[in-house]
Amino acid sequence: MKSRKAFITIVIGLSLIVVFFTVYILTRTQNDRIPVGKYRIKDNDKYPDAYIEVTEHTIQYFNIDLNEYYQEMQMLSYRRVVDNDPGYYGVISDEQLRILTDLNSVYVDRPFDYSRFEAIKTGTNIYTYRMTYHDNFLGVGLRYYTNIHQLEAKRNDIVLLFEKE
């Protein structure tokens, strides 16, 4: 009888150790910085060769037109601010607005320094970077999934998914 209780105690103890170890492995997070490397786009017929290159301090998009996905939303955001407070920016023509909201010039044409942006932990294995430019206007946000090494470029409901090579 005592050996049976001892056996059950050992099994329960080992089960708890396995459960705690499994929970630790599934929920552990690494550094909140995005690991250096190349992240290829997934499931995108229009830009199948697109990728993001990440260095210690910068990110840069390649082989993609971010304006096609996000510029219209950027223009609407800027226009709302300008219309509500014309004194802040002054009068902006549509052409000036198009230049201000050119996301390719910010993220594609040259590396973008994301190191000054705080990683906001938004889930067990998820960090979000609210990358702003031009007087703190939200550009293309990035979400990094530490457990599956994926980047999600997002603005409103438009999401582009990239996976580490």
Side-chain angles (χ1 to χ4, degrees):
M1 188 83 150
K2 282 188 175 186
S3 64
R4 182 178 166 99
K5 285 184 181 180
F7 176 74
I8 291 173
T9 303
I10 290 171
V11 168
I12 290 172
L14 289 173
S15 297
L16 287 173
I17 290 170
V18 168
V19 166
F20 286 128
F21 183 71
T22 303
V23 168
Y24 170 76
I25 292 295
L26 293 176
T27 61
R28 72 186 165 119
T29 57
Q30 301 157 355
N31 186 343
D32 63 356
R33 294 280 90 181
I34 302 167
V36 171
K38 204 179 263 192
Y39 294 77
R40 295 235 171 247
I41 199 160
K42 289 185 64 162
D43 304 324
N44 188 300
D45 295 333
K46 191 156 200 159
Y47 297 101
D49 298 326
Y51 64 94
I52 298 174
E53 193 166 283
V54 178
T55 69
E56 288 292 326
H57 302 286
T58 65
I59 64 155
Q60 185 173 5
Y61 291 80
F62 292 90
N63 304 327
I64 193 165
D65 181 2
L66 292 178
N67 288 335
E68 182 177 332
Y69 290 103
Y70 303 117
Q71 188 173 25
E72 187 175 324
M73 286 180 270
Q74 285 296 99
M75 289 179 73
L76 289 172
S77 295
Y78 260 89
R79 187 54 76 194
R80 246 182 270 130
V81 169
V82 169
D83 290 348
N84 287 334
D85 187 6
Y88 187 74
Y89 284 101
V91 177
I92 295 179
S93 70
D94 286 343
E95 183 55 34
Q96 289 170 316
L97 186 60
R98 186 162 301 288
I99 292 167
L100 277 173
T101 59
D102 182 358
L103 294 167
N104 289 333
S105 70
V106 176
Y107 300 107
V108 179
D109 296 344
R110 62 183 166 273
F112 180 81
D113 184 359
Y114 84 100
S115 66
R116 60 193 163 109
F117 297 99
E118 178 184 352
I120 302 164
K121 190 168 175 67
T122 55
T124 302
N125 297 303
I126 305 168
Y127 288 93
T128 300
Y129 300 85
R130 293 181 44 111
M131 294 187 282
T132 59
Y133 71 103
H134 293 311
D135 296 328
N136 291 324
F137 256 83
L138 182 61
V140 177
L142 269 185
R143 184 175 286 163
Y144 175 60
Y145 294 86
T146 62
N147 58 336
I148 54 176
H149 302 292
Q150 285 185 344
L151 286 174
E152 189 179 84
K154 185 174 183 190
R155 173 90 176 144
N156 293 355
D157 293 335
I158 300 175
V159 176
L160 301 172
L161 190 62
F162 297 81
E163 190 168 71
K164 191 165 191 325
E165 284 186 335

